[in-house]
Amino acid sequence: QVQLVESGGGSVQAGGSLRLSCAASGRPDMPYYMGWFRQAPGKEREGVAGLSTRRGGTYYPDSVKGRFTISQDNAKNTVYLQMNSLKPDDTAMYYCAADFGWRPDFSKPHEYPYSGQGTQVTVSS
C-alpha cells in the first residue's frame, strides 16, 4: 500500500521560507512522477510543482515560478518543496502526490493517483 507522508508545514510571515518533505513508502520503486498541490478553503486544487524522477524535469505554474523548488532524494524516496518569498496567497493545505505510471503530461500533480494527508502552510502579512 502506497503511503505519502508530508512534513514541514507551519506558520511564517510574508517573505519567509518553508521546506516541505514527502516520504514515499509501500513500493520498492520510486514513483515516475512526484509533485505538490495545494488547496485553500473555497478554492480549487492547484498544482504547484511536478517532478519527473527519472529525467529530472520539473514543472511550476507561474504563480510560484522562481519562488518554489522541488527536489528529490532517491535514496530516501523523498521529495522536497523549498518555498521562498512566501506570500499570504500561498496559504493553503499542501499535499504531496505521486504516480508510478507514465503520463504524457506531469504538470497536474493534483491529478496523480496517490496523495498524502497534507500539511498546512499559513503565511501572515
Side-chain angles (χ1 to χ4, degrees):
Q1 183 177 357
V2 174
Q3 280 194 317
L4 301 174
V5 179
E6 304 100 333
S7 60
S11 297
V12 65
Q13 288 193 325
S17 298
L18 284 172
R19 185 192 191 208
L20 307 183
S21 300
C22 172
S25 63
R27 282 183 55 157
D29 52 331
M30 185 78 175
Y32 265 81
Y33 307 102
M34 293 192 76
W36 294 87
F37 65 91
R38 66 188 179 188
Q39 188 165 26
K43 295 187 177 181
E44 294 187 353
R45 292 181 170 187
E46 176 191 17
V48 296
L51 171 69
S52 172
T53 64
R54 303 299 197 270
R55 298 188 175 188
T58 57
Y59 160 80
Y60 306 97
D62 288 343
S63 58
V64 307
K65 196 172 293 182
R67 301 188 297 122
F68 289 14
T69 303
I70 188 170
S71 60
Q72 64 187 87
D73 184 337
N74 288 349
K76 297 180 180 180
N77 267 16
T78 298
V79 292
Y80 306 95
L81 184 67
Q82 178 66 44
M83 305 185 295
N84 298 328
S85 302
L86 283 162
K87 306 174 181 179
D89 283 349
D90 295 318
T91 295
M93 186 72 81
Y94 282 70
Y95 299 86
C96 176
D99 192 345
F100 288 86
W102 180 85
R103 55 175 52 232
D105 178 5
F106 66 95
S107 69
K108 299 180 180 179
H110 50 293
E111 295 182 356
Y112 294 2
Y114 299 99
S115 60
Q117 294 299 308
T119 185
Q120 178 68 36
V121 171
T122 302
V123 184
S124 58
S125 58

